[in-house]
Amino acid sequence: MRLISAFASLTLIWATNAAADGFTSLNAKVRFNTGEADRNGTVATFDNDVQTSAHGVYELGEWTIFGGLETQRTDFTANGGDPNDKYKNVYVDLGGERSFGAFSFGGQLAHISFENDFLGVNSSLDVVSAYGQYAANGLVAGAGLLYSNISDAGAADVDEMGVLAFISNDFGNGLTLGAQATVQSDFELLELYADYIFNKGDVSFSLINTDNGPSTVQFVSIDGRYNIYKQFNLIGGILNSDDPTGDSTTEVSTGIEYVFGEGAAARIEYVEYGAFNGFSGKGISFGLTYEIGKKRKSGYQPIGKTFADKNSAVFFVY
């Protein structure tokens, strides 16, 4: 079994100085993948695999506006099948919060669509959330309601109401801890996260547990950077998704980053993949990054950002 992979990530930021003053977080990436894999007897080739993402948080007076976009598109041939088979995944969200002193009220609209010709899947998920929160001295806590609609071609739509709750605390020394839970009749999601920014670098941790009836999937990731010499940083991370059915995967990366401007850097990474289902591979990731502010929003965590970096490897596409 072999995997021939070439990765590139490119960050594009367009913002005037006036607009940038309001951003507490802003980043965007484009990533390209190509490869071959043998997974559970499915021999597949990937071509034109492109992933894009953009996320931002903008402060405008008493308003906080946040949004995100995630897309992935792949042409692939599996077991000698149709070379025009497509995998397409799109996520978009837009939300806002209005503060009244220490109290705020907010809401979010989100849409996810998933299409996989090889698996015969064409489905979408729409989510509407509304919540209230309290913020003081770095602490943000809140709760609200969640409505979701699942549409699947050839099947009846599923509508559900649920509740959500979240809490986070910025300790003022670079450390932020947070947790968020979403509960519906057939679905539960729990996220724990930590971000720490220190003199020589930063590190981020996420643990996401999803429970959908008999199926429970857990995502764990840790990534960071450490300054080793002048403008050079050592970078790396570990990502693991664990499904009790045995469909578990791990991605480990390490590399070097060169900072050539405020928030701007060029990087190259070596990546190894492994899975309990017989998949393994190696790859190189290279490109440009640009970061403004925090890696993630305090308080309420947009659904798209939660999973934004948990779908980076080619073996997740089928």
Side-chain angles (χ1 to χ4, degrees), residues 96-170:
E97 298 170 0
R98 173 66 160 85
S99 64
F100 300 89
F103 293 92
S104 300
F105 295 95
Q108 182 200 36
L109 302 173
H111 173 80
I112 304 172
S113 64
F114 177 82
E115 182 179 341
N116 190 316
D117 292 343
F118 176 66
L119 298 179
V121 175
N122 186 358
S123 60
S124 65
L125 169 66
D126 293 293
V127 179
V128 180
S129 61
Y131 56 89
Q133 67 180 32
Y134 174 80
N137 301 320
L139 175 70
V140 182
L145 299 175
L146 185 79
Y147 165 81
S148 66
N149 172 265
I150 300 177
S151 178
D152 194 348
D157 290 359
V158 178
D159 300 293
E160 281 196 291
M161 290 293 297
V163 296
L164 61 91
F166 54 88
I167 185 170
S168 68
N169 191 62
D170 184 345

Side-chain angles (χ1 to χ4, degrees), residues 29-258:
K29 294 180 181 179
V30 178
R31 193 176 189 184
F32 304 91
N33 310 302
T34 182
E36 298 179 1
D38 183 350
R39 178 181 181 184
N40 285 343
T42 299
V43 179
T45 59
F46 300 86
D47 190 22
N48 300 321
D49 182 76
V50 181
Q51 294 171 289
T52 65
S53 68
H55 295 272
V57 180
Y58 185 73
E59 303 288 345
L60 184 63
E62 303 300 320
W63 285 91
T64 298
I65 301 170
F66 56 91
L69 174 67
E70 298 281 334
T71 69
Q72 182 177 8
R73 180 190 182 281
T74 303
D75 297 332
F76 65 93
T77 304
N79 287 345
D82 188 348
N84 295 316
D85 278 353
K86 300 288 191 301
Y87 168 93
K88 292 187 289 185
N89 186 31
V90 177
Y91 172 89
V92 61
D93 74 59
L94 180 63
E97 298 170 0
R98 173 66 160 85
S99 64
F100 300 89
F103 293 92
S104 300
F105 295 95
Q108 182 200 36
L109 302 173
H111 173 80
I112 304 172
S113 64
F114 177 82
E115 182 179 341
N116 190 316
D117 292 343
F118 176 66
L119 298 179
V121 175
N122 186 358
S123 60
S124 65
L125 169 66
D126 293 293
V127 179
V128 180
S129 61
Y131 56 89
Q133 67 180 32
Y134 174 80
N137 301 320
L139 175 70
V140 182
L145 299 175
L146 185 79
Y147 165 81
S148 66
N149 172 265
I150 300 177
S151 178
D152 194 348
D157 290 359
V158 178
D159 300 293
E160 281 196 291
M161 290 293 297
V163 296
L164 61 91
F166 54 88
I167 185 170
S168 68
N169 191 62
D170 184 345
F171 292 89
N173 59 355
L175 175 64
T176 300
L177 300 177
Q180 179 164 307
T182 300
V183 179
Q184 294 179 299
S185 62
D186 294 325
F187 179 79
E188 297 177 4
L189 183 148
L190 173 65
E191 179 184 11
L192 305 176
Y193 64 88
D195 294 330
Y196 183 53
I197 303 173
F198 53 98
N199 186 43
K200 287 283 190 174
D202 61 75
V203 61
S204 294
F205 168 82
S206 291
L207 187 154
I208 303 169
N209 192 85
T210 66
D211 188 346
N212 185 12
S215 176
T216 300
V217 181
Q218 186 177 87
F219 299 86
V220 179
S221 70
I222 183 169
D223 64 85
R225 61 168 65 90
Y226 184 81
N227 182 251
I228 53 176
Y229 179 74
K230 293 185 178 180
Q231 295 167 271
F232 290 92
N233 296 325
L234 178 67
I235 57 175
I238 300 174
L239 165 65
N240 174 261
S241 65
D242 185 16
D243 186 324
T245 63
D247 191 8
S248 303
T249 58
T250 301
E251 174 184 322
V252 180
S253 64
T254 185
I256 296 292
E257 179 182 69
Y258 175 73

